[in-house]
Amino acid sequence: MTDEFTLGDRKVRRLGYGAMQLAGPGAFGPPHDPDSARAVLREAVACGVNHIDTSDFYGPHIVNRLIREALYPYPADLVIVTKVGARRGDRGAWLPAVSRDELIAAVHDNLRNLGLDALEVVNFRAMFSAHGPAEGSIEAPLAVLAELQQQGLIRHIGLSNVTPAQIAEGRRICAIACVQNHYNLAHRSDDALIDDLARDGVAYVAFFPLGGFSPLQSATLTEVAQRLGATPMQIALAWLLRRSPNLLAIPGTSSLAHLRENLAASELDLPDDLEILLR
């Protein structure tokens, strides 16, 4: 199992870090302990993480500022991936933000708060449904991002929370560097999509990589974890890394101990019969 895959034109470790949980509850407002949040970011990089997923609508603005405070000037190999297409309401609601002006403002907010001249990867986050990918044209917002890419503000464009039809539509507008969707051991609706992207050499980034397991899956995870001297969540992350060479995972946490536990999952050697057991 290879430890790296190409994201845009950069090699990253397949087990990255999702920064959403560094904000307050529901990714809204400031964290209870900003010093602890910055310590988690520094520890992630010290442990070899070179792919951090974020967005300026986490907080909003707060998580990107924490990343800059903790890590700037950034290590040469660090790839920071952000996303646009949403905004937060006054009470934390997740709202679409896909007009030309909103997308341009979001890119500039990310640049300013991260302290960057260009964003390595920007994912357009489709917001047609609150419950997962739903059909709808992404041509207009993606054309705006492609224009910003031509201006040099964005290096690579990805898609998040999208369907195969939307990916096909997006590819007619610009090169798609990655697809970021909900996927884990219990939520496998993108199985065919992952395999299709693997054939094209495109990264599939799994968000919410843990949770939602059936009682049988949970029992099996516990059994395998005990056999390997690991935790059930480590087994679930290791399963993701074994699933396909183009699959990247971005588990998030605000805990140093949990961060170290997650990252140790990449060292696990899973039994060959695990996939059969977990079906």
Side-chain angles (χ1 to χ4, degrees):
M1 180 178 70
T2 179
D3 185 48
E4 292 184 322
F5 195 77
T6 302
L7 184 56
D9 58 5
R10 304 274 296 277
K11 287 281 190 181
V12 298
R13 294 186 66 181
R14 293 175 56 216
L15 194 53
Y17 174 71
M20 184 174 73
Q21 293 187 33
L22 295 182
F28 190 67
H32 173 70
D33 186 348
D35 288 338
S36 178
R38 287 185 285 265
V40 167
L41 287 162
R42 295 187 185 108
E43 179 68 8
V45 170
C47 290
V49 168
N50 58 4
H51 168 206
I52 293 177
D53 179 82
T54 186
S55 175
D56 210 57
F57 54 67
Y58 295 160
H61 314 305
I62 288 165
V63 169
N64 278 355
R65 290 171 183 165
L66 287 169
I67 290 172
R68 182 178 183 179
E69 291 163 5
L71 301 176
Y72 192 88
Y74 301 114
D77 69 337
L78 180 62
V79 175
I80 299 176
V81 178
T82 189
K83 63 186 74 64
V84 298
R87 64 181 178 86
R88 309 304 296 276
D90 292 341
R91 297 185 179 181
W94 301 85
L95 305 170
V98 297
S99 72
R100 177 181 176 83
D101 288 346
E102 287 173 319
L103 291 168
I104 291 173
V107 167
H108 282 279
D109 284 345
N110 277 282
L111 288 166
R112 181 178 61 257
N113 288 317
L114 288 168
L116 293 170
D117 296 323
L119 300 169
E120 191 67 33
V121 182
V122 174
N123 288 323
F124 172 69
R125 212 286 185 182
M127 295 284 289
F128 294 105
S129 171
H131 305 292
E135 298 297 352
S137 177
I138 60 172
E139 179 179 1
L142 214 59
V144 176
L145 296 185
E147 181 182 331
L148 296 175
Q149 185 181 39
Q150 290 295 317
Q151 294 174 15
L153 299 180
I154 298 171
R155 294 195 176 100
H156 301 280
I157 295 172
L159 299 173
S160 179
N161 198 46
V162 288
T163 67
Q166 288 164 336
I167 296 168
E169 181 183 38
R171 282 173 158 167
R172 293 193 288 271
I173 299 165
C174 61
I176 300 301
C178 58
V179 173
Q180 184 187 93
N181 276 4
H182 179 193
Y183 183 84
N184 61 29
L185 191 155
H187 188 274
R188 303 194 216 178
S189 57
D190 274 355
D191 271 336
L193 175 59
I194 291 170
D195 295 338
D196 289 343
L197 293 174
R199 284 188 286 271
D200 293 337
V202 175
Y204 180 99
V205 185
F207 66 75
F208 297 143
L210 301 172
F213 308 128
S214 70
L216 178 59
Q217 289 168 335
S218 294
T220 303
L221 286 171
T222 298
E223 176 190 336
V224 175
Q226 290 173 345
R227 193 191 321 170
L228 298 182
T231 69
M233 297 302 98
Q234 286 176 321
I235 301 300
L237 286 173
W239 178 88
L240 279 174
L241 297 178
R242 180 168 166 158
R243 167 62 181 81
S244 180
N246 70 318
L247 197 150
L248 282 58
I250 47 171
T253 180
S254 59
S255 159
L256 280 170
H258 191 203
L259 170 71
R260 295 179 185 125
E261 177 184 300
N262 286 343
L263 296 179
S266 64
E267 306 300 323
L268 289 176
D269 185 17
L270 297 183
D272 291 336
D273 62 349
L274 181 63
E275 175 64 26
I276 296 173
L277 293 172
L278 291 172
R279 285 191 184 278

